[in-house]
């Protein structure tokens, strides 16, 4: 196993729109990030990943790019970007951009040209199909964000494919010219010194050109078998690696939509030269039974342990994962997997211990370092996320759920939960902006904010700092063999990890009660590396874990 810089590093994801607003127009921006670089450095993170910063009409907040080589004016200028990159590197951190190459914006000049006529040279940059016999869409594919994945173009009387919104037409990777355009855009940023890319929905780039109807199975299965993992995906990724990424000291982090533990190796086995690592959806979606806003199951620790184990075993020999418990597409991790009321602080810290001691690159999301929680939006007018809005509007037609129930579902699972402005202080709008923020600030900002936590040595923020710093000193946190104890216990997660001559034990209590854990023998030779409580109760051959207590012990 090769120990490269990105494996032991910690990635911090910035959602620029919500990070910090430097000019008070209510929208976070690049200068806002520059202002906070010292803060970011103080967290002991190594790599910054910026969600898309390119020109975009923002139908999906930048995941609909209209110019791959220009900065979104709301975020700043190319000079701002160059400064951000320089200042990031000066502090010894790396910068990774978000490449959205499965689709672009319908306002990209490629698409505007393509719509002009069937003979336009850009026509073939997209997927066009004739209507079905009845004039309807060519097949039954559904968009990730509701409704058909096909949109009719009156002028040419053909449909184009969009797996996301209709303002996000899918690009045709079959066309070598299109692939070169993407590679050129990557080189443009890599030549500036960018350290790599997070690759949005990359498993979707190769389509099944016969466009078979999707079978009547869950959406997740459809993604795996019909949308993702198309016949040429590996050929394209290998080409991208050889022609572009290999020529730089850069890495690629794949968003693994549609990849399961059995297919993951095909993408991240380093001998295959495709992608460097991926984050998968099994943990992120572990409470989502059948698609967002549908059925939600209660959090189940045994299920989570099983998922971690399954992926660990599958990628044990080769391949590399990034560990994420949250990002801009999911509700807040402390609200989903922890306890955002009485044990808010304890559970936020404990979740970090779990995340930071799984094998793989640690990937944290802005705001989780202060335990930001879900938000309650009081009416649909306050909702900003296109996925939530589409769900709501479609529901108005189908009347499947009452208006209240639809809003409740959005509040529970909607993406705006993770996108509310970062809470810097107890000042107006949490110190994010004195202008009207593009999305409401969580009302709890007076209590939960960076400034408060800077001053409290027991805060979540300072715990993140300690843990991220400590993690750099121990290879065993990142690599190593697992031995699990109490696997079937639904309330505690206990494992020992060994790497070279390092050995640690991690014990986590996921419940609101005290839990005694027996069978612990090495008591005389332990050292507490980290503990989210002041003390650890050891009794005989066991210990008592307090509610949401989490500890890392060093064992000789
Ligand atoms: O997300 C891909 C993806 O699969 C999401 O649609 C995910 O399923 C959903 O948000 C969870 O409910 C990526 C980006 O991370 C997301 O922000 C974009 O909207 C999407 O691609 C399209 O680019
Ligand atoms: Ca701004």
């Amino acid at each position: 196993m090769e120990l490269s810089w990105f494996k032991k590093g910690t990635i911090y994801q910035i959602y620029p729109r919500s990070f910090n607003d430097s000019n008070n127009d209510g929208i976070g921006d690049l200068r806002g990030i520059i202002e906070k670089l010292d803060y970011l450095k103080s967290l002991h993170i190594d790599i910054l990943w910026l969600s898309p910063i390119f020109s975009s009409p923002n139908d999906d907040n930048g995941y609909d790019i209209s110019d791959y080589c220009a900065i979104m004016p709301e975020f700043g200028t190319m000079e701002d970007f160059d400064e951000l990159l320089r200042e990031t590197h000066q502090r010894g951190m790396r910068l990774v951009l978000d490449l959205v190459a499965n689709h672009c914006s319908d306002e990209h000049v490629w698409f505007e040209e393509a719509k002009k006529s069937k003979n336009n040279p850009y026509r073939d940059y997209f997927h066009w199909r004739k209507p079905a016999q009845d004039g309807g869409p060519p097949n039954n594919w559904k968009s990730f964000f509701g409704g058909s994945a096909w949109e009719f173009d009156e002028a040419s009387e053909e449909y184009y494919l969009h797996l996301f919104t209709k303002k996000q037409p899918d690009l045709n990777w079959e066309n070598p010219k299109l692939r070169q355009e993407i590679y050129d855009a990557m080189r443009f940023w890599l030549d500036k010194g960018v350290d790599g890319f997070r690759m949005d929905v990359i498993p979707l780039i190769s389509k099944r050109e016969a466009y078979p109807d999707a079978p009547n199975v869950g959406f997740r299965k459809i993604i795996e078998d019909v949308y993702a993992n198309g016949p040429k995906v590996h050929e394209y990724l290998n080409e991208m690696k050889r022609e572009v990424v290999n020529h730089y000291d850069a890495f690629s982090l794949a968003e693994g939509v549609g990849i399961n533990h059995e297919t993951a190796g095909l993408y991240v086995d380093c001998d295959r030269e495709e992608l460097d690592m991926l984050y998968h959806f099994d943990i992120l979606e572990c409470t989502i039974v059948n698609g967002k806003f549908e059925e939600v199951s209660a959090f189940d620790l045994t299920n989570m342990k099983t998922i971690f184990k399954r992926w660990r075993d599958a990628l044990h020999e080769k391949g590399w994962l990034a560990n994420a418990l949250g990002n801009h597409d999911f509700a807040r991790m402390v609200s989903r997997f922890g306890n955002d009321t009485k044990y808010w602080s304890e559970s936020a810290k404990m979740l970090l211990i779990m995340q930071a001691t799984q094998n793989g690159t640690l990937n944290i999301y802005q705001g989780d370092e202060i335990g930001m929680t879900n938000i309650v939006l009081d009416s649909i007018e306050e909702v900003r996320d296109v996925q939530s809005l589409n769900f709501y509007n479609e529901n108005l037609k189908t009347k499947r759920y009452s208006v209240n129930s639809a809003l409740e579902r959005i509040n529970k699972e909607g993406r705006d939960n993770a996108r509310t402005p970062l809470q810097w202080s107890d000042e107006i709008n949490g110190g994010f902006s004195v202008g009207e923020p593009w999305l409401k600030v969580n009302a709890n900002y007076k209590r939960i904010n960076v400034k408060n936590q800077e001053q409290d040595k027991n805060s979540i923020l300072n715990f993140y700092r300690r843990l991220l710093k400590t993690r750099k000193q121990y290879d065993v946190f990142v690599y190593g063999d697992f031995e699990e104890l109490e696997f079937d216990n639904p309330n505690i997660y206990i494992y020992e990890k060994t790497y070279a001559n390092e050995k640690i034990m991690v014990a986590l209590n996921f419940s609101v009660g005290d839990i005694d854990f027996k069978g612990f023998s090495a008591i005389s030779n332990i050292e507490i590396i980290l503990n989210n409580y002041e003390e650890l109760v050891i009794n005989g051959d066991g210990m008592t874990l307090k509610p949401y207590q989490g500890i890392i012990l060093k064992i000789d």
Side-chain angles (χ1 to χ4, degrees):
M1 192 159 38
E2 192 199 343
L3 313 187
S4 39
W5 57 269
F6 61 77
K7 291 189 172 169
K8 232 183 136 176
T10 297
I11 302 175
Y12 182 97
Q13 181 192 351
I14 293 183
Y15 197 69
R17 206 173 187 76
S18 305
F19 188 68
N20 183 33
D21 177 16
S22 72
N23 62 351
N24 295 317
D25 64 352
I27 297 172
D29 44 53
L30 299 183
R31 300 217 69 84
I33 302 174
I34 296 173
E35 286 173 7
K36 299 292 182 184
L37 283 174
D38 287 331
Y39 167 77
L40 292 166
K41 180 68 188 172
S42 81
L43 298 176
H44 304 287
I45 59 176
D46 307 283
I47 303 161
L48 298 179
W49 145 28
L50 306 184
S51 275
I53 55 167
F54 317 103
S55 282
S56 164
N58 285 306
D59 188 49
D60 187 17
N61 286 356
Y63 285 90
D64 48 323
I65 297 175
S66 54
D67 184 343
Y68 285 85
C69 296
I71 301 290
M72 187 193 306
E74 289 165 316
F75 285 177
T77 62
M78 195 58 85
E79 287 67 45
D80 295 333
F81 176 79
D82 291 340
E83 186 177 331
L84 171 62
L85 181 61
R86 204 168 50 240
E87 293 290 321
T88 304
H89 283 164
Q90 235 160 48
R91 287 167 178 76
M93 297 184 289
R94 311 237 185 184
L95 191 70
V96 168
L97 298 182
D98 208 320
L99 182 76
V100 189
N102 172 69
H103 46 268
C104 64
S105 162
D106 66 338
E107 296 181 33
H108 194 296
V109 62
W110 299 336
F111 194 72
E112 285 174 347
E113 283 296 315
K115 267 195 314 196
K116 286 184 180 162
S117 82
K118 287 185 185 167
N119 308 323
N120 189 285
Y122 291 97
R123 185 80 176 176
D124 191 44
Y125 275 31
F126 300 90
H127 300 272
W128 299 92
R129 284 293 177 280
K130 290 190 177 42
Q133 295 277 320
D134 64 358
N139 69 14
N140 69 357
W141 290 13
K142 292 264 168 286
S143 145
F144 278 67
F145 296 156
S148 170
W150 297 94
E151 181 71 11
F152 190 59
D153 172 51
E154 301 277 345
S156 63
E157 299 190 328
E158 285 188 339
Y159 283 86
Y160 67 85
L161 177 69
H162 61 89
L163 290 177
F164 294 89
T165 76
K166 63 182 181 201
K167 285 183 67 62
Q168 294 169 296
D170 279 53
L171 290 164
N172 179 16
W173 278 66
E174 190 77 24
N175 183 337
K177 279 205 202 120
L178 178 272
R179 300 206 297 279
Q180 288 308 322
E181 301 253 23
I182 300 290
Y183 302 161
D184 283 345
M186 292 170 74
R187 288 187 196 105
F188 174 83
W189 297 104
L190 289 165
D191 285 337
K192 277 183 176 286
V194 157
D195 301 289
F197 295 98
R198 176 263 190 189
M199 296 192 177
D200 191 64
V201 293
I202 200 76
L204 306 182
I205 56 177
S206 163
K207 312 298 179 205
R208 290 168 176 81
E209 299 250 304
Y211 292 104
D213 268 340
N216 188 14
V217 293
F219 194 58
R220 190 127 188 208
K221 185 89 180 112
I222 294 177
I223 297 174
E224 274 185 29
D225 297 346
V226 185
Y227 297 173
N229 311 305
K232 296 203 178 152
V233 66
H234 298 293
E235 184 185 319
Y236 299 153
L237 291 175
N238 179 252
E239 179 183 87
M240 179 199 272
K241 177 85 168 167
R242 281 181 293 110
E243 290 196 18
V244 188
V245 182
N246 273 353
H247 300 274
Y248 300 85
D249 179 22
F251 80 100
S252 57
L253 161 62
E255 188 195 28
V257 69
I259 297 180
N260 63 36
H261 63 289
E262 283 166 350
T263 52
L266 297 172
Y267 288 86
V268 291
D269 173 343
C270 53
D271 294 341
R272 293 174 54 90
E273 293 202 272
E274 295 190 15
L275 298 162
D276 292 309
M277 65 172 131
L278 71 87
Y279 68 88
H280 61 78
F281 279 67
D282 283 0
I283 293 285
L284 291 164
E285 290 193 330
C286 71
T287 58
I288 298 172
V289 178
N290 188 24
K292 225 171 211 180
F293 310 129
E294 303 284 326
E295 201 184 326
V296 181
S297 70
F299 170 66
D300 172 354
L301 178 60
T302 313
N303 181 32
M304 186 176 257
K305 292 184 198 177
T306 308
I307 297 170
F308 273 129
K309 180 166 170 15
R310 189 192 298 147
W311 281 86
R312 194 162 68 225
D313 290 349
L315 294 183
H316 185 64
E317 298 292 333
K318 281 179 177 168
W320 197 249
L321 287 178
N323 283 309
L325 291 183
N327 62 33
H328 64 295
D329 289 336
F330 292 90
R332 282 285 174 185
M333 73 185 227
V334 69
S335 299
R336 291 183 73 195
F337 307 134
N339 175 305
D340 63 9
T341 53
K342 186 164 177 203
Y343 296 108
W344 163 71
S345 173
E346 291 81 357
S347 67
K349 294 170 189 164
M350 186 208 64
L351 287 170
L352 179 67
I353 296 182
M354 174 178 76
Q355 201 189 348
T357 53
Q358 297 292 332
N359 291 8
T361 298
L362 177 59
N363 191 329
I364 59 182
Y365 178 63
Q366 73 176 40
D368 284 339
E369 77 274 23
I370 54 166
M372 280 177 63
T373 66
N374 282 353
I375 189 170
V376 178
L377 298 172
D378 298 317
S379 75
I380 194 68
E381 281 70 45
E382 292 185 339
V383 175
R384 294 287 174 272
D385 168 34
V386 68
Q387 183 183 35
S388 300
L389 290 169
N390 283 3
F391 160 73
Y392 189 87
N393 291 330
E394 199 161 287
N395 188 61
L396 286 180
K397 287 184 224 145
T398 61
K399 298 209 171 11
R400 203 163 149 209
Y401 305 111
S402 71
V403 165
N404 281 347
S405 159
L407 191 62
E408 249 170 55
R409 282 159 199 274
I410 290 172
N411 275 325
K412 187 158 177 85
E413 285 188 275
R415 306 194 294 182
D416 285 334
N417 280 306
R419 299 178 177 185
T420 63
L422 206 122
Q423 295 160 209
W424 294 102
S425 71
D426 57 5
E427 284 154 45
I428 183 166
N429 297 323
F432 163 75
S433 174
V434 294
E436 169 88 8
W438 72 277
L439 168 67
K440 199 164 105 169
V441 179
N442 196 313
N444 63 21
Y445 75 84
K446 296 221 155 143
R447 182 170 54 88
I448 302 179
N449 64 61
V450 172
K451 195 166 159 226
N452 273 350
Q453 296 197 24
E454 288 284 4
Q455 289 151 8
D456 172 5
K457 75 174 185 1
N458 289 322
S459 64
I460 300 170
L461 177 62
N462 282 319
F463 191 83
Y464 262 69
R465 288 188 171 125
R466 276 200 294 284
L467 181 34
L468 267 46
K469 187 172 174 202
T470 308
R471 194 170 186 269
K472 293 188 199 300
Q473 295 153 16
Y474 290 90
D475 285 335
V476 66
F477 279 37
V478 185
Y479 310 99
D481 296 321
F482 268 72
E483 194 178 333
E484 296 206 32
L485 293 88
E486 305 267 337
F487 189 82
D488 297 320
N489 188 321
N491 293 317
I492 53 177
Y493 192 7
I494 305 206
Y495 43 93
E496 291 182 353
K497 283 187 80 175
T498 318
Y499 185 74
N501 54 8
E502 292 175 0
K503 186 165 183 185
I504 57 168
M505 173 187 251
V506 177
L508 313 165
N509 179 358
F510 272 79
S511 78
V512 295
D514 285 5
I515 297 202
D516 287 325
F517 159 61
K518 295 269 174 229
F520 176 56
S521 53
I523 282 174
S524 52
N525 294 320
I526 59 163
E527 181 193 322
I528 298 178
I529 302 179
L530 274 162
N531 182 359
N532 64 350
Y533 274 70
E534 297 269 304
E535 54 170 15
L536 173 64
V537 181
I538 292 183
N539 37 36
D541 63 347
M543 56 179 123
T544 303
L545 293 169
K546 299 276 169 203
Y548 289 101
Q549 184 161 21
I551 49 156
I552 307 176
L553 304 175
K554 188 172 166 198
I555 308 174
D556 282 331

